[in-house]
Amino acid sequence: LCLFRDDAALGGSSDAVQDQRVTATSRASVETAATGGDVPLRPDTASVRNAADGGAIGGAADGDATDAPPNGSAAKPSAEAAAVAEPTDPRIARIPYVVFGCDLVVALGSGMTVKYFPLFFKEDLNMRPAAVQAIYLAVPVAMAIASTLATKLGRKVGRVQAVLALRVFGLTCFAGMVVLYDRGIARAGPLKYAIVALYVVRTASMNCTYPLEESILMDYVPKDTRARWKSLQSVAMFGWCGSAYLGGALADEYGYTKTFLFTIGLQSTGVLIYAQLLGVVGREASGLAGGGGDATA
């Protein structure tokens, strides 16, 4: 989180959604000024309504028939004016709910196992306590490096795409840990450190996406409700702690690796929930970066 650069990852799209209506109005004003202020490229809403009521645009009120719009032309400006007045995709309103739902499901899955990894390393892999603590010394370093890479990846492929790619990669590493242990490939000897390496990479990949997720949430939530959505993270943390009890019961009954599979299932569900943002955040960001797409065509 400390290495995340908002200006580098977001550029001109930061805090853009709240100002879309103002931006659209300003763009129409700029178009009018570019023509010398005589003929607006895009009629405003009042002018279109006047035309629809049989009124005149320009000098038609004085009986000048040459200034009246051609037959059937009032409908086209009306559609354009409506597009300017309503630029926001209605699916954008669902973004904070999707982000919160994903975080809650992922937190529930993480809580089931995160407290039992040290026991897994000590009891199942027969590692010394000092070696186990060395793992947790390497994890923050790996997370810092992964956060920097995630920021760069988000700029290249998009924030949602980066979050999904990193989480799928992390879940793949997690599944690799289970396969290596259950198949007896890396239970002892030097090969057991392959499981340790997968754990470090998995933890870094799953947690380095936090800055990108926060940037999406803050961009698509009104400024006066940001504190409310941030406070909901405490609910996810409560679920994270509560699911630890369930994880302990499953570990006692089935073993650690079977509990890992439950975590993989829950976190995969969270990834599927988050995938709903693929057609929303990506298109909105490209539109803003491109100055409104074909709005001036």
Side-chain angles (χ1 to χ4, degrees), residues 120-181:
F120 170 72
F121 293 133
K122 181 178 181 296
E123 296 177 1
D124 289 8
L125 296 185
N126 299 314
M127 298 181 66
R128 294 179 297 127
V132 173
Q133 293 307 311
I135 295 174
Y136 288 94
L137 180 64
V139 165
V141 177
M143 287 176 57
I145 297 173
S147 295
T148 302
L149 297 177
T151 300
K152 295 180 179 179
L153 182 63
R155 294 190 64 190
K156 289 183 177 296
V157 302
R159 288 176 287 175
V160 174
Q161 289 83 349
V163 170
L164 292 174
L166 288 167
R167 287 199 164 172
V168 169
F169 178 67
L171 291 173
T172 303
C173 293
F174 204 176
M177 292 174 55
V178 175
V179 171
L180 288 178
Y181 183 83

Side-chain angles (χ1 to χ4, degrees), residues 6 21 28-29 46 138 157 249 252:
D6 186 78
R21 297 180 183 274
S29 301
V157 302
D252 289 338

Side-chain angles (χ1 to χ4, degrees), residues 54-241:
I57 299 178
D62 297 330
D64 189 356
T66 59
D67 291 333
N71 292 335
S73 63
K76 183 177 180 181
S78 179
E80 294 179 352
V84 173
E86 299 293 339
T88 304
D89 191 326
R91 293 176 296 174
I92 290 178
R94 300 202 306 261
I95 289 178
Y97 298 95
V98 171
V99 173
F100 172 72
C102 172
D103 288 344
L104 181 60
V105 173
V106 171
L108 289 173
S110 297
M112 293 176 63
T113 54
V114 70
K115 295 181 181 294
Y116 304 106
F117 279 121
L119 294 174
F120 170 72
F121 293 133
K122 181 178 181 296
E123 296 177 1
D124 289 8
L125 296 185
N126 299 314
M127 298 181 66
R128 294 179 297 127
V132 173
Q133 293 307 311
I135 295 174
Y136 288 94
L137 180 64
V139 165
V141 177
M143 287 176 57
I145 297 173
S147 295
T148 302
L149 297 177
T151 300
K152 295 180 179 179
L153 182 63
R155 294 190 64 190
K156 289 183 177 296
V157 302
R159 288 176 287 175
V160 174
Q161 289 83 349
V163 170
L164 292 174
L166 288 167
R167 287 199 164 172
V168 169
F169 178 67
L171 291 173
T172 303
C173 293
F174 204 176
M177 292 174 55
V178 175
V179 171
L180 288 178
Y181 183 83
D182 284 348
R183 298 285 184 177
I185 300 173
R187 290 190 178 185
L191 286 178
K192 67 183 179 182
Y193 292 103
I195 295 180
V196 174
L198 287 175
Y199 168 75
V200 173
V201 174
R202 169 260 169 198
T203 304
S205 298
M206 293 297 293
N207 291 280
C208 71
T209 61
Y210 176 79
L212 293 175
E213 293 179 78
E214 283 294 293
S215 69
I216 293 173
L217 183 63
M218 294 299 102
D219 273 357
Y220 289 90
V221 169
K223 295 180 180 180
D224 57 344
T225 61
R226 288 178 178 178
R228 183 188 314 163
W229 285 103
K230 287 289 292 181
S231 66
L232 286 176
Q233 289 183 343
S234 61
V235 177
M237 291 301 297
F238 174 78
W240 184 83
C241 296

Side-chain angles (χ1 to χ4, degrees), residues 23-38:
T23 302
T25 304
S26 301
R27 188 182 300 120
S29 301
V30 170
E31 292 175 352
T32 302
T35 60
D38 296 330

